[in-house]
Amino acid sequence: MPKTAPDPLRDGRLLSQAIKAIRRLKGLSARDVAARMNMGVRTYQHFEAGRNKPNLEYIHRFCAVTQSDPFALLGALMIGSPAFARRTAENKLMTILMIGLKDYDAAMGDRILDQDPRTLIAAVEGMFARLRRDADERDAQTRRWLEAGERDLNARRPRPGR
């Protein structure tokens, strides 16, 4: 499969969409973010519009200001999903994965060279399958709790004609 060079225009558009989504999620104006990043509004507008190549320093400054995940912004570019950056802005999924990866690298060292890709794929798929199952179970538990609570409240409510 031929390798293609990154498309800076595509990356800029994806980054722009992700940054705007996070800024809106946080309820901030472009002017607010620019001031907190200690940069001119016009410079920030160029950054947010994705007019230049992705700038790691700006990404980290933006994420510090918005208390979001810089690794999620970079991950959003890599997987082509600006929504991913917004979805993981607060739970720090990508930062958590990067910390785990850093610890794994430190513990394994060169033994990583000997690991079979099938084992790595199975481990990653297993981790995400478990996260999906846990989320589904929590959703089901929440739904059951709400339904039971609503039934109880309705049973206690006076009915017309009592």
Side-chain angles (χ1 to χ4, degrees):
M1 175 160 53
K3 292 186 178 188
T4 58
D7 178 357
L9 292 176
R10 178 181 173 273
D11 289 348
R13 281 192 301 272
L14 289 170
L15 183 63
S16 175
Q17 292 169 2
I19 287 170
K20 287 176 187 174
I22 291 169
R23 180 177 56 76
R24 290 176 182 139
L25 175 71
K26 300 295 184 164
L28 298 168
S29 71
R31 190 172 301 281
D32 293 335
V33 176
R36 293 177 188 178
M37 286 179 67
N38 200 23
M39 67 172 47
V41 174
R42 181 68 91 192
T43 303
Y44 176 78
Q45 288 171 336
H46 284 288
F47 167 64
E48 184 176 271
R51 291 196 182 114
N52 301 317
K53 289 181 182 179
N55 180 316
L56 287 178
E57 179 188 341
Y58 286 1
I59 288 171
H60 282 278
R61 285 169 58 187
F62 171 82
C63 290
V65 163
T66 59
Q67 297 180 338
S68 57
D69 188 345
F71 298 103
L73 271 174
L74 296 171
L77 294 178
M78 300 306 294
I79 67 172
S81 175
F84 177 78
R86 178 186 50 79
R87 290 180 190 126
T88 61
E90 294 183 2
N91 70 16
K92 310 286 185 172
L93 171 64
M94 286 299 293
T95 292
I96 293 165
L97 290 173
M98 297 312 292
I99 292 167
L101 189 57
K102 175 193 66 73
D103 292 347
Y104 181 72
D105 177 58
M108 292 295 292
D110 283 346
R111 292 185 301 160
I112 292 174
L113 291 166
D114 299 326
Q115 291 197 293
D116 179 54
R118 291 173 295 192
T119 302
L120 298 171
I121 291 167
V124 170
E125 284 181 337
M127 175 185 67
F128 285 117
R130 179 176 176 197
L131 289 170
R132 281 191 302 274
R133 280 192 311 273
D134 289 352
D136 291 345
E137 179 58 29
R138 278 191 310 277
D139 290 348
Q141 287 173 347
T142 300
R143 200 171 34 260
R144 286 191 300 268
W145 183 86
L146 282 171
E147 289 169 357
E150 287 173 343
R151 278 193 306 273
D152 185 48
L153 289 173
N154 287 333
R156 294 170 186 263
R157 186 175 56 110
R159 290 195 177 90
R162 273 194 187 173

